[in-house]
Amino acid sequence: MRAIRIGLLGLGTVGGGTVRLLHRNRAELQRRVGRAITVCCAAVRDPQRQRTCSTAGIRLYTDPLEVVRDPDVDVVVELMGGVEPAGAAVQAAMESGKHVVTANKALIAERGNELFDAARRHAVMIGFEAAVAGGIPIVKVLREGLAGNRIESLVGIINGTCNYVLDAMDQEGADFDVALQAAQRCGYAEADPRTDVEGTDAAHKLTILAALAYGIPLQLSRVHCEGITAISPVDIACARELGYCIKHLGVARRREDGIELRVHPALIPRRHILASVRGVMNAVLLCGNAVGDTLYYGPGAGAEPTASAVLADLLDIARAMSARAGQQVPSLAFQPDALLDTPILSASMMRTGYYLRMQVEDKPGVLARVAGSFGESGISIQAVQQKGAEPGARRVALVLLTQCVAQGDLEQALVRIRKLDVVDRAIVRIRIESMDSAVSCDPG
Ligand code: NAP
Ligand code: HSE
């Protein structure tokens, strides 16, 4: 049987890793699929640039549509990033009957609903395993491995760059910017690293995971999103003293009244298994109503871990092309006409505990006034810590951990507390994730 020929869009970190892996594992891949897989052409911005892989036998174009239109190409693998021109190229590939693989979470989260519709109309496959959690085959887990379950909750460390930066700050006392630059040098960060540290990349991934888990359309705009840019060494140190570490999480929880979708930094107990996820590693903790808790762990970014996921999709397509083509497994795990309109809850309804750090006047009665304001809002305090005042300073840091509370109630209490003349207006607020699997914290 003749080789399956790939047209690559992008030969950067992931594109280079994909070409290297196709060469290195050539014999093994052929044994799995029964035919060879070769790259015949690729699109890049700068054809003169030095590549991390051999480009022997690969025609280089600068226009992605030239790859799509190349008559030799059977499958288009999009590894450029960004919504456009990647989206137009993917659309054109499917219109010309070519299968697509992409690692582009921004494209899937923002345009996935229409792209999957186009894939059905043109009877082609679109694989996106590499778009979520790098080398962890989490899309396959949700679409196939746990298909017998009703998924109750999903909590994940799903941005390798954020985890790398927070871990370096926690373990080595690294500076935020220095750690971020190191993540960029390793090829972990997005072309614009604000996408990582402001939480957008994790929101893209959570959008995709939630659609797969709950059988709902992709709804990026409904994800509550916070990044890690406001996390300071002092909060990391306070959290450590209280037995917590700070992780950037993506959380999707089914509740009776809807689904919580949120991305934010959170304090998690240091003894919890997710606290030991270090560096660029990702982990996703899934709770299904049959299997209970299952944990998926692995590299969340980087050239070859991501290429591993790209190749898994390529192999699925190659196998289908060799047997009966078509969509055997629905793109979003559920039948397209069976997607639900379950409400996504507003941020004010989301319930977690909170870590709060505020500067207060160092005099008797202050703690009672702050605690009283929380009490008026029905919010219980779980722990209080007062940091010693610097010599000569009239203000001290007060750290409080609250019990579980709706975000709207907490915000009302903070409005009251900011009005106290003994408290500075700037209050650091980080969620505490209980890490209870199936249920969100008890509203009572
Ligand atoms: P990258 O290193 O910046 O590579 C992008 C490649 O696309 C480069 O080869 C670039 O050409 C080419 N390109 C970009 N725009 C183009 C255009 N308009 N026309 C032609 N070529 C164009 O990016 P990456 O890190 O490999 O990421 C690629 C995709 O994978 C993104 O969607 C990203 O979110 C996703 N992803 C990345 C990782 C990771 O660890 N890096 C992990 C999972 C998913 P030049 O080289 O000539 O500039
Ligand atoms: N920039 C992303 C991250 C790449 O750091 O997780 C993997 O999706």
Side-chain angles (χ1 to χ4, degrees), residues 94-391:
M94 293 193 293
E95 280 165 13
S96 58
K98 296 182 181 181
H99 302 291
V100 172
V101 173
T102 179
N104 191 334
K105 41 276 157 102
L107 178 63
I108 297 295
E110 291 188 26
R111 295 274 189 81
N113 294 321
E114 60 192 87
L115 291 177
F116 295 133
D117 189 47
R120 278 191 298 278
R121 280 188 280 107
H122 298 289
V124 293
M125 296 168 72
I126 173 163
F128 55 96
E129 182 67 76
V132 188
I136 306 174
I138 195 70
V139 173
K140 230 182 213 330
V141 164
L142 280 167
R143 200 150 58 183
E144 299 174 44
L146 295 186
N149 287 258
R150 172 181 144 120
I151 302 298
E152 302 296 350
S153 69
L154 177 164
V155 181
I157 294 173
I158 50 176
N159 183 273
T161 302
C162 285
N163 201 54
Y164 183 94
V165 169
L166 290 176
D167 190 45
M169 289 171 76
D170 182 289
Q171 297 289 320
E172 300 150 29
D175 175 75
F176 185 102
D177 291 330
V178 172
L180 179 57
Q181 283 159 17
Q184 287 179 278
R185 278 196 301 279
C186 294
Y188 303 151
E190 297 300 301
D192 179 351
R194 284 176 300 185
T195 311
D196 295 291
V197 295
E198 291 175 3
T200 318
D201 178 78
H204 288 148
K205 292 166 178 166
L206 189 71
T207 300
I208 298 170
L209 288 173
L212 292 164
Y214 298 121
I216 54 176
L218 297 150
Q219 298 168 77
L220 175 62
S221 64
R222 303 312 316 273
V223 178
H224 173 78
C225 177
E226 295 171 32
I228 61 166
T229 49
I231 300 297
S232 69
V234 62
D235 295 316
I236 289 175
C238 287
R240 176 189 282 276
E241 284 172 28
L242 290 159
Y244 291 88
C245 67
I246 300 181
K247 292 288 185 191
H248 190 249
L249 299 182
V251 180
R253 276 187 203 279
R254 188 196 286 279
R255 293 181 7 183
E256 272 187 12
D257 47 353
I259 295 168
E260 282 188 6
L261 293 182
R262 48 190 167 87
V263 159
H264 52 76
L267 272 71
I268 64 170
R270 278 196 107 80
R271 62 178 185 284
H272 191 274
I273 196 161
L274 286 191
S276 59
V277 176
R278 306 279 313 276
V280 72
M281 303 306 273
N282 278 191
V284 182
L285 188 55
L286 282 174
C287 181
N289 71 345
V291 71
D293 281 344
T294 56
L295 179 69
Y296 306 88
Y297 170 84
E304 294 198 2
T306 310
S308 155
V310 170
L311 259 58
D313 278 341
L314 264 176
L315 260 63
D316 275 352
I317 288 174
R319 287 181 179 125
M321 285 173 71
S322 306
R324 185 172 60 83
Q327 294 201 320
Q328 286 128 344
V329 182
S331 302
L332 279 179
F334 292 77
Q335 293 302 318
D337 57 1
L339 298 187
L340 302 178
D341 57 2
T342 314
I344 308 297
L345 300 174
S346 70
S348 67
M349 295 168 73
M350 293 175 180
R351 297 182 60 85
T352 60
Y354 283 88
Y355 159 100
L356 301 167
R357 179 168 58 81
M358 56 193 81
Q359 293 296 119
V360 300
E361 258 183 52
D362 189 16
K363 66 180 189 189
V366 169
L367 180 57
R369 289 179 70 189
V370 172
S373 297
F374 281 116
E376 281 169 41
S377 303
I379 298 172
S380 305
I381 308 291
Q382 181 191 318
V384 180
Q385 193 185 59
Q386 184 173 313
K387 312 298 276 179
E390 300 289 323

Side-chain angles (χ1 to χ4, degrees), residues 404-426:
C404 203
V405 51
Q407 181 173 319
D409 292 342
L410 181 91
E411 277 161 6
Q412 275 181 10
L414 290 182
V415 167
R416 243 196 304 276
I417 286 167
R418 285 195 179 95
K419 287 187 183 148
L420 298 178
D421 54 0
V422 291
V423 179
D424 283 2
R425 285 189 58 75

Side-chain angles (χ1 to χ4, degrees), residues 61-118:
Y61 301 116
T62 50
D63 180 356
L65 289 177
E66 286 190 89
V67 168
V68 170
R69 292 191 199 112
D70 189 313
D72 284 346
V73 170
D74 299 308
V75 182
V76 171
V77 177
E78 186 278 305
L79 304 172
M80 296 193 299
V83 174
E84 289 298 347
V90 165
Q91 190 77 37
M94 293 193 293
E95 280 165 13
S96 58
K98 296 182 181 181
H99 302 291
V100 172
V101 173
T102 179
N104 191 334
K105 41 276 157 102
L107 178 63
I108 297 295
E110 291 188 26
R111 295 274 189 81
N113 294 321
E114 60 192 87
L115 291 177
F116 295 133
D117 189 47

